[in-house]
Amino acid sequence: MTDFHAWRARFESAMDTTAKSGAVVLLLGVPTSIALVNIGILLILIGWLLSGRWRWKFDVIRHHPLTLPALLLSALVLLGITYTDAPKAHIAHHLYVYSKLPLMLMLLTLFHDSRWQRRGLLVFAVGSVVTVVSTYANIWFQVPWSDSHQQGLGVSHHVFNDYIAQGLAMSFFTALALVIAIDAREKSIRWAWVLVAAFTVFSITHLLQGRTGQVVLLAMVCALAAVAAPAAWRWRALVVVALATVALFLSSPLLRERVITLFAEFSQYKDTGVFTNSTGYRLDMWKNALEMFMDSPLWGHGTAGYRVLSEQIYADAGVCAVSCVHPHNQFLLLAVDFGVLGLVGYVMLLQRAWVAAFDLSVRYRNLLVAFLAILFVDSFINGPFWVTTERHLFASVLPLLLAGWRPPASETDAVPALERPA
């Protein structure tokens, strides 16, 4: 019996290491490879389910502020199956997409150990450096693993993911570089990371086609300046951000062209109703999604309800391929499918993460506030928990940053395993 317990302990320890290694592989794959992401998730599932320690895992998850909104949204997805008109294929896809919500809770236990939390950040940084270097190399020659196939300036140089996903991931990497620079004690290290941040910012503003990266980058830098700068320097920091934004806008033909196009597309949709461009598509989807929500504000239309209703509106197959998948607004997508409760669940997810940020160490507080700024803005113009590459980023980095949160001592008096770190 003693030998069996010893074997079981070794086996569960090995599975725990497997799951944690899978979480690290997942973070490496987020900026670089969907294949690595899938491998990481497979290792997590196998290792987490076989590693035991169920009482400890339950205690970690039960006390965490992310748990309630994640479980609420997961329950709504399951409940929505009972009253949706969607076919089984659409329902199955929604179940697969929203399976990342319980995965987030698993990651909270895997990154609970600060050593593994640091490793997760480290490999994300490694993957991001590879992405940035590849982006610049793509200016002069065709990088074999690059998704874009054009050289020179004034064109997009996205590498492993589409330009939207790369802009989002590199915006957070910019925040990570700036936070490391702020915390650095040696000037050489500080300025080295500032230089990394500057090169990454330039890659987003001058070497990527989409507007999403530039918008979330600005929101992230403003949020980081507001929370990381001393009170006496806060307004000065924001002024510096504003001046830098103007300088980048004037120096980037690609950025200027995208902003000018934005206003032209907005006017075109407003005046003629034409929506065969990114701005027009979004405006039309938002209008229709809001009407869908108002038709059933309490319970929504069920899991994949937006997909069913939008297919009735967008008869053209080419238009439907863009507009029927999701409305490019996470708030509206959840509101249409699950009504007010879906909207409340998502707002609660953001609100609880925001409040928890100020219980973390200064470094992780700054990182989480910057990351939430990216998530919040992207939630209005894309589907951060729907689109494949985006949900990998948000469903992995959010629990990574929040894994260091600990409940107040009064809540853990009866749970020794959840003691606050020194």
Side-chain angles (χ1 to χ4, degrees):
M1 185 63 70
T2 302
D3 291 341
F4 171 76
H5 286 305
W7 176 87
R8 178 180 175 180
R10 289 194 299 270
F11 176 77
E12 290 183 347
S13 177
M15 290 297 99
D16 183 58
T17 301
T18 298
K20 290 175 178 175
S21 300
V24 170
V25 171
L26 168 61
L27 265 296
L28 177 61
V30 165
T32 60
S33 169
I34 293 179
L36 281 178
V37 167
N38 292 332
I39 292 171
I41 293 175
L42 179 62
L43 292 175
I44 290 170
L45 293 176
I46 294 173
W48 197 86
L49 293 173
L50 296 177
S51 59
R53 303 181 68 195
W54 294 107
R55 181 178 177 183
W56 177 83
K57 291 174 181 175
F58 176 74
D59 287 334
V60 171
I61 293 172
R62 177 167 62 95
H63 287 85
H64 204 279
L66 274 188
T67 301
L68 179 59
L71 291 181
L72 173 59
L73 291 172
S74 299
L76 290 173
V77 174
L78 296 176
L79 181 63
I81 297 174
T82 63
Y83 59 93
T84 184
D85 294 327
K88 292 181 179 179
H90 293 342
I91 294 173
H93 185 62
H94 277 65
L95 290 174
Y96 170 73
V97 167
Y98 290 117
S99 67
K100 300 304 180 292
L101 293 169
L103 176 67
M104 290 170 60
L105 303 183
M106 298 166 69
L107 288 171
L108 291 175
T109 67
L110 299 177
F111 289 123
H112 190 269
D113 185 334
S114 59
R115 294 172 300 175
W116 287 95
Q117 188 182 30
R118 289 192 296 269
R119 289 167 188 168
L121 275 178
L122 174 62
V123 298
F124 179 85
V126 170
S128 298
V129 168
V130 172
T131 299
V132 173
V133 172
S134 300
T135 300
Y136 279 94
N138 213 35
I139 298 174
W140 295 284
F141 59 89
Q142 177 59 42
V143 178
W145 49 84
S146 175
D147 282 351
S148 56
H149 303 282
Q150 48 195 356
Q151 280 64 61
L153 295 173
V155 294
S156 186
H157 293 291
H158 48 286
V159 182
F160 297 107
N161 297 313
D162 62 78
Y163 51 82
I164 293 178
Q166 181 169 323
L168 293 168
M170 292 308 99
S171 293
F172 176 65
F173 178 58
T174 302
L176 179 58
L178 290 174
V179 167
I180 295 175
I182 293 170
D183 293 345
R185 296 182 179 180
E186 297 181 18
K187 288 186 177 180
S188 58
I189 296 177
R190 177 181 300 117
W191 286 109
W193 280 104
V194 168
L195 189 62
V196 169
F199 273 103
T200 307
V201 167
F202 187 88
S203 75
I204 297 170
T205 58
H206 289 65
L207 304 179
L208 289 181
Q209 174 183 339
R211 291 179 287 251
T212 300
Q214 292 92 350
V215 173
V216 300
L217 176 67
L218 177 59
M220 181 278 293
V221 175
C222 289
L224 186 59
V227 74
W233 285 84
R234 192 161 296 154
W235 287 109
R236 299 176 192 179
L238 292 173
V239 169
V240 170
V241 170
L243 293 175
T245 301
V246 172
L248 288 170
F249 178 79
L250 295 176
S251 65
S252 173
L254 189 62
L255 179 57
R256 290 200 306 274
E257 186 273 333
R258 295 301 290 161
V259 172
I260 293 171
T261 302
L262 169 67
F263 287 104
E265 291 173 350
F266 178 82
S267 298
Q268 188 179 27
Y269 178 79
K270 183 180 178 181
D271 296 339
T272 65
V274 173
F275 56 87
T276 53
N277 50 61
S278 61
T279 305
Y281 273 127
R282 282 177 169 81
L283 292 173
D284 201 66
M285 286 185 287
W286 296 344
K287 176 178 71 70
N288 289 322
L290 185 59
E291 292 175 356
M292 295 175 195
F293 167 65
M294 296 306 296
D295 287 341
S296 181
L298 185 58
W299 296 106
H301 300 275
T303 304
Y306 173 81
R307 180 64 182 262
V308 173
L309 295 174
S310 60
E311 288 177 348
Q312 299 171 10
I313 297 173
Y314 301 107
D316 182 85
V319 174
C320 192
V322 176
S323 301
C324 294
V325 182
H326 65 98
H328 289 66
N329 184 305
Q330 190 68 57
F331 298 101
L332 286 174
L333 176 60
L334 292 169
V336 171
D337 284 358
F338 311 116
V340 172
L341 286 177
L343 189 58
V344 168
Y346 192 62
V347 171
M348 187 187 300
L349 181 76
L350 299 175
Q351 182 268 338
R352 286 191 159 215
W354 170 265
V355 173
F358 295 90
D359 291 328
L360 301 176
S361 65
V362 173
R363 168 174 287 197
Y364 283 96
R365 178 204 67 189
N366 293 343
L367 284 174
L368 183 54
V369 168
F371 185 72
L372 287 174
I374 296 171
L375 174 56
F376 182 72
V377 172
D378 190 54
S379 295
F380 283 99
I381 54 180
N382 287 304
F385 282 94
W386 178 264
V387 181
T388 301
T389 48
E390 293 185 33
R391 70 172 178 268
H392 291 156
L393 170 68
F394 292 109
S396 59
V397 174
L398 186 59
L400 170 69
L401 299 178
L402 274 168
W405 182 89
R406 300 292 183 268
S410 59
E411 295 183 24
T412 58
D413 289 342
V415 190
L418 293 183
E419 292 178 357
R420 280 182 174 272

